[in-house]
Amino acid sequence: GQNIDQPTEMTATEGAIVQINCTYQTSGFNGLFWYQQHAGEAPTFLSYNVLDGLEEKGRFSSFLSRSKGYSYLLLKELQMKDSASYLCALKAAGNKLTFGGGTRVLVKP
Amino acid sequence: GAVVSQHPSRVICKSGTSVKIECRSLDFQATTMFWYRQFPKQSLMLMATSNEGSKATYEQGVEKDKFLINHASLTLSTLTVTSAHPEDSSFYICSARDPKLAGADTQYFGPGTRLTVL
């Protein structure tokens, strides 16, 4: 089976940096995704890590350490529109995704 | 990225009726689509994997006779909630992969359907 843990909620200031951690246990690792979800909307794809290291995409970066069962999503130069839930998801066999509970990020002015 | 649509976006129905939700891949063919359910302030839970031309694969605890899935073409999967009850009220979201895109492991989500059963 799979188990995913991420903080429930985080608050940060506009212009700052926030790091959202995700730890997981899985019997077989096939990749880890980060999605952004605004309230009442569907998730949108942010990043995908399958190898160890850092993937950078503009203001968003994602890091993976498979040996530690650990990933983080880094959001830089926070904007008000970044207030949303951020979902860590593990890919299983058959391309199925198991989602963590999500981290609600609130950006304050 | 790939575009996935869902219809309707919102539906309100009476208890005991059936509701059909459509999921379409607009600019690609998807042999596999996934159906998720999300209750308020909770994360997405996979309900079933929809396979074109064959039976859907349901997750443990999901009643296949209550949640009927049909994947009749490479661009359309439907989820029918039969004899809906208030506890079925939820946000239903589908996703699909475009196997021809680089990063083909990525699932792209539809905009979701908010079902309210009175």
Side-chain angles (χ1 to χ4, degrees):
Chain A
Q2 298 178 318
N3 188 45
I4 303 171
D5 287 307
Q6 46 180 135
T8 307
E9 204 166 279
M10 301 180 75
T11 302
T13 306
E14 192 176 13
I17 298 172
V18 70
Q19 178 174 312
I20 306 169
N21 296 325
C22 171
T23 57
Y24 63 87
Q25 296 87 41
T26 181
S27 52
F29 181 82
N30 294 290
L32 186 143
F33 290 85
W34 283 97
Y35 283 87
Q36 179 192 60
Q37 186 180 27
H38 285 98
E41 298 180 13
T44 55
F45 169 75
L46 291 179
S47 70
Y48 173 56
N49 294 74
V50 65
L51 300 175
D52 289 351
L54 188 67
E55 294 277 343
E56 296 188 82
K57 267 189 186 180
R59 293 190 300 115
F60 294 174
S61 304
S62 58
F63 172 82
L64 174 68
S65 168
R66 288 171 296 171
S67 62
K68 294 182 180 176
Y70 169 67
S71 173
Y72 68 72
L73 180 70
L74 196 69
L75 285 63
K76 304 175 195 171
E77 300 168 21
L78 278 174
Q79 301 174 9
M80 298 300 290
K81 67 178 182 180
D82 297 330
S83 291
S85 286
Y86 292 85
L87 309 176
C88 172
L90 281 178
K91 181 179 161 233
N95 292 301
K96 296 196 292 188
L97 289 181
T98 301
F99 283 86
T103 299
R104 221 162 26 249
V105 171
L106 177 62
V107 180
K108 292 186 173 178
Chain B
V3 180
V4 178
S5 72
Q6 266 183 256
H7 178 80
S9 57
R10 211 176 269 273
V11 58
I12 301 173
C13 69
K14 292 182 179 179
S15 187
T17 60
S18 294
V19 175
K20 182 188 280 189
I21 303 169
E22 293 185 347
C23 177
R24 293 182 186 273
S25 55
L26 294 187
D27 51 0
F28 66 99
Q29 295 181 329
T31 53
T32 304
M33 293 182 176
F34 302 89
W35 286 97
Y36 295 83
R37 181 167 51 183
Q38 186 175 33
F39 292 107
K41 297 193 177 179
Q42 295 186 24
S43 193
L44 282 76
M45 295 295 294
L46 179 66
M47 297 175 67
T49 302
S50 171
N51 304 297
E52 188 268 336
S54 65
K55 290 183 180 179
T57 306
Y58 290 81
E59 295 301 299
Q60 194 171 8
V62 178
E63 300 175 57
K64 62 180 181 182
D65 294 330
K66 180 169 181 63
F67 299 100
L68 300 178
I69 291 173
N70 187 303
H71 195 149
S73 78
L74 286 171
T75 59
L76 173 65
S77 174
T78 60
L79 169 69
T80 301
V81 183
T82 61
S83 186
H85 291 284
E87 57 266 29
D88 298 323
S89 297
S90 187
F91 193 46
Y92 291 86
I93 310 175
C94 71
S95 72
R97 288 168 57 243
D98 182 350
K100 294 182 181 173
L101 275 184
D105 288 341
T106 303
Q107 287 188 24
Y108 294 92
F109 286 84
T113 297
R114 174 84 51 200
L115 171 63
T116 303
V117 185
L118 301 176

